[in-house]
Amino acid sequence: QQQVKQSPQSLIVQKGGISIINCAYENTAFDYFPWYQQFPGKGPALLIAIRPDVSEKKEGRFTISFNKSAKQFSLHIMDSQPGDSATYFCADRLMEYGNKLVFGAGTILRVKS
Amino acid sequence: GAGVSQSPSNKVTEKGKDVELRCDPISGHTALYWYRQSLGQGLEFLIYFQGNSAPDKSGLPSDRFSAERTGGSVSTLTIQRTQQEDSAVYLCASSLGLAEWDEQFFGPGTRLTVL
């Protein structure tokens, strides 16, 4: 059973600060690593994703850093805003299994204004 | 609407009853996925469809769970003889296909409560 380990479980950051969430995966095959953002009462929505042949990907205030040798990847949210307060999930998309997603346990982010 | 829709949004049932949860994927999306989100287990994969066939049912928790997809569109997840541990939010997602960059779009989920 594939696993993705995510930390921290919860995070409180001041407005304008940097939020950092870390994940570690097990699968050794070529996969794809998306991050999802979920607001209460809504389904998860794709935030940003990275392929393992890339070490970093940046989209606006969101950056994924990927360390293939350590099997770790992280999400950095720069200049965090109260509107970023949500639950964040990292995932391992298993391309050899129909692209099914194996999710981390989630991180509840609260940005204080 | 353009997104994935699910019905009902909330379902309360008594232990032992059967329930059916419906998912309408985005038009033209050939792949459809069911996930379950619960406090104890987080977000877990249940089953996926490519067209009307289900190549991977490995995530279904027990034989009380089944799913079908007809016409390459609507999917129904059926839970027979519901148990309290089935209480969770059931999420459906669809994607254009199974290519590397085909994003999964999630519906709002059905919250199932088994009393």
Side-chain angles (χ1 to χ4, degrees), chain A residues 30 32 36 38 41-47 49-51 57 87 89 93 95 97-105, chain B residues 31 33 35 37 42-45 48 56 58-59 91 95 97-109 111:
Chain A
F30 180 89
Y32 178 73
Y36 287 84
Q38 185 177 31
K42 305 289 187 182
L46 180 67
L47 186 63
I50 195 168
R51 295 171 55 175
K57 183 175 181 180
T87 301
F89 294 93
R93 194 170 84 178
M95 295 178 64
Y97 295 104
N99 285 345
K100 72 178 183 183
L101 293 164
V102 177
F103 286 93
Chain B
Y33 304 79
Y35 296 88
Q37 186 169 25
L43 263 163
E44 54 180 339
F45 167 83
Y48 91 92
D56 187 351
S58 63
L91 292 161
S95 66
L98 297 180
E100 180 182 305
W101 298 106
D102 283 339
E103 176 186 344
Q104 291 181 32
F105 293 86
F106 282 81
R111 180 175 296 278

Side-chain angles (χ1 to χ4, degrees), chain A residues 22-91:
Chain A
N22 300 297
C23 284
Y25 68 100
E26 295 182 348
N27 198 38
T28 56
F30 180 89
D31 290 336
Y32 178 73
F33 298 93
W35 285 87
Y36 287 84
Q37 180 187 56
Q38 185 177 31
F39 294 103
K42 305 289 187 182
L46 180 67
L47 186 63
I48 185 173
I50 195 168
R51 295 171 55 175
D53 56 351
V54 175
S55 61
E56 186 175 281
K57 183 175 181 180
K58 183 176 180 179
E59 289 184 0
R61 296 185 294 109
F62 301 92
T63 300
I64 301 178
S65 298
F66 189 85
N67 185 332
K68 188 173 183 178
S69 61
K71 294 187 179 179
Q72 294 177 346
F73 57 112
S74 61
L75 175 70
H76 289 62
I77 305 174
M78 312 300 287
D79 186 27
S80 298
Q81 299 296 311
D84 297 331
S85 298
T87 301
Y88 292 81
F89 294 93
C90 60

Side-chain angles (χ1 to χ4, degrees), chain B:
Chain B
V4 176
S5 60
Q6 293 185 245
S7 60
S9 56
N10 281 285
K11 177 71 176 178
V12 180
T13 190
E14 293 180 349
K15 178 182 173 181
K17 300 284 189 181
D18 297 352
V19 295
E20 284 189 353
L21 312 180
R22 177 186 169 108
C23 172
D24 282 89
I26 294 172
S27 178
H29 280 197
T30 63
L32 185 148
Y33 304 79
W34 284 98
Y35 296 88
R36 181 169 73 171
Q37 186 169 25
S38 58
L39 282 175
Q41 301 296 323
L43 263 163
E44 54 180 339
F45 167 83
L46 298 178
I47 186 172
Y48 91 92
F49 290 88
Q50 175 59 19
N52 292 333
S53 64
D56 187 351
K57 305 178 183 179
S58 63
L60 294 177
S62 74
D63 58 8
R64 297 185 295 103
F65 288 72
S66 63
E68 65 175 12
R69 189 179 185 196
T70 56
S73 181
V74 171
S75 176
T76 303
L77 178 69
T78 301
I79 309 173
Q80 296 178 310
R81 305 181 303 281
T82 52
Q83 303 295 311
Q84 288 183 333
E85 62 262 28
D86 300 334
S87 296
V89 176
Y90 290 82
L91 292 161
C92 175
S94 71
S95 66
L96 190 60
L98 297 180
E100 180 182 305
W101 298 106
D102 283 339
E103 176 186 344
Q104 291 181 32
F105 293 86
F106 282 81
T110 293
R111 180 175 296 278
L112 175 66
T113 303
V114 182
L115 301 176

